[in-house]
Amino acid sequence: MKDVQEVRDLARHIRIETLKMLTGLGFGHYGGSMSVVETLAVLYGDVMRIDPKNPDWQDRDYFVLSKGHAGPALYATLALKGYFPVSELQTLNQNGTRLPSHPDRLRTTGVDATTGSLGQGVSIAAGMALSHKLAGRTNRVFCILGDGELNEGQCWEAFQFIAHHNLHNLTLFIDYNKQQLDGTLDDVIKPFDLAGKFSAFGFDVQTIKGDDIVAISEAVTQVRHGEQRPLVVILDSIKGQGVKYLEQLANSHHLRLTPDVKLEIENAIAELEATHV
């Protein structure tokens, strides 16, 4: 890993800017944005081949946020990496914004795929990876899915496609934060043995703590090749990860802020800003 401290600091700033963005708006997808922060920091701060000054660089690595409701965390990451001004984050979901609630590649510089309809992002990522493989290109593709998103049958069709075509240039992350819009996974649809299912579908599987920056980086830094199977990383994460108040809520998937909740989150922002990891 290039610089652990630098990536940790990037994660802290992504978390701060995402919280500010959503709190300024007064509502949004807090929980699932927080639980992918460390993964975004590793990808954009350590692993992916990118050039913010040339976002359409043909040799770049591609990223697809299949769980598009975590778009604010992606926007914060892109802004901090220099794709557009950080000040623009405060236009989230406003009239005329380039930052809609879910990623739109035709609006936002640095976004590689329009996502939001769950299950579709991973299918797009599979198509990207296949095109690179057929053309003999070395571009890598990374895709984050939500655990609730796995209720969509389209995901499992895509997984079978990825394994069949041995798309080892594509890495999947499952944000296993154990909650979805309508409650816990176990209450809505039990996921059962995720690692076992992915292994049966033809993947190599690693299960990693969702906030373990070093382990996430070690899992995906090495380029996969040859006969290696496609990799899925199951992120054992917490909804609202990195913000104690959000972690302790029964469900932080989407919040509309009351004055009391807003105060709690503003206090969390202040605490993060005062912390130097």
Side-chain angles (χ1 to χ4, degrees):
M1 191 169 185
K2 298 172 189 171
D3 189 326
V4 177
Q5 185 62 37
E6 187 176 311
V7 176
R8 283 182 178 150
D9 202 42
L10 176 59
R12 183 170 65 90
H13 282 97
I14 293 169
R15 186 163 277 116
I16 289 168
E17 294 301 332
T18 304
L19 290 171
K20 285 182 175 180
M21 196 184 336
L22 291 170
T23 304
L25 185 63
F27 61 88
H29 292 93
Y30 280 86
S33 292
M34 293 296 100
S35 56
V36 297
V37 164
E38 279 75 16
T39 302
L40 289 170
V42 168
L43 291 178
Y44 281 88
D46 183 51
V47 173
M48 287 174 58
R49 190 169 53 181
I50 58 172
D51 183 357
K53 295 180 180 178
N54 183 15
D56 296 324
W57 179 37
Q58 290 187 348
D59 293 331
R60 75 189 185 278
D61 292 332
Y62 287 68
F63 174 73
V64 179
L65 184 64
S66 196
K67 47 169 286 181
H69 51 278
L74 175 58
Y75 299 152
T77 305
L78 293 173
L80 289 164
K81 292 301 294 182
Y83 284 88
F84 51 85
V86 172
S87 60
E88 195 169 334
L89 295 175
Q90 292 307 309
T91 70
L92 175 71
N93 234 14
Q94 304 294 330
N95 289 336
T97 186
R98 294 197 301 167
L99 307 177
S101 60
H102 293 63
D104 184 335
R105 72 177 184 84
L106 299 180
R107 288 194 180 191
T108 310
T109 304
V111 169
D112 290 319
T114 301
T115 56
S117 293
L118 297 178
Q120 294 185 4
V122 65
S123 299
I124 295 169
M128 288 176 172
L130 180 61
S131 72
H132 293 318
K133 183 178 180 181
L134 292 176
R137 295 189 291 263
T138 59
N139 312 65
R140 299 175 73 186
V141 182
F142 299 89
C143 177
I144 298 179
L145 299 97
D147 49 5
E149 182 175 7
L150 301 186
N151 294 353
E152 294 284 357
Q154 181 172 349
C155 292
W156 297 94
E157 293 176 17
F159 301 153
Q160 190 170 0
F161 177 93
I162 291 163
H164 171 77
H165 289 284
N166 192 26
L167 300 180
H168 46 67
N169 57 341
L170 169 59
T171 298
L172 304 180
F173 295 90
I174 308 302
D175 181 19
Y176 184 43
N177 61 37
K178 306 157 198 74
Q179 290 184 19
Q180 58 188 99
L181 176 62
D182 295 322
T184 67
L185 263 63
D186 283 344
D187 287 340
V188 179
I189 295 183
K190 290 182 180 179
F192 297 101
D193 180 4
L194 277 183
K197 287 197 289 188
F198 274 105
S199 180
F201 263 72
F203 284 77
D204 287 336
V205 186
Q206 292 195 37
T207 301
I208 292 169
K209 285 291 183 183
D211 61 354
D212 190 336
I213 280 174
V214 174
I216 295 169
S217 177
E218 289 177 347
V220 299
T221 297
Q222 294 299 319
V223 177
R224 300 173 69 78
H225 52 77
E227 295 307 310
Q228 286 180 294
R229 305 202 305 176
L231 174 64
V232 59
V233 178
I234 299 174
L235 300 164
D236 184 8
S237 60
I238 302 172
K239 204 86 165 183
Q241 185 168 282
V243 179
K244 289 182 181 178
Y245 172 75
L246 293 175
E247 289 180 356
Q248 293 168 359
L249 290 180
N251 195 322
S252 61
H253 183 87
H254 186 280
L255 299 178
R256 286 191 174 272
L257 302 190
T258 63
D260 288 346
V261 173
K262 184 177 181 182
L263 180 60
E264 291 281 0
I265 295 174
E266 286 174 344
N267 288 339
I269 292 170
E271 185 177 338
L272 284 164
E273 287 181 325
T275 302
H276 297 282
V277 202

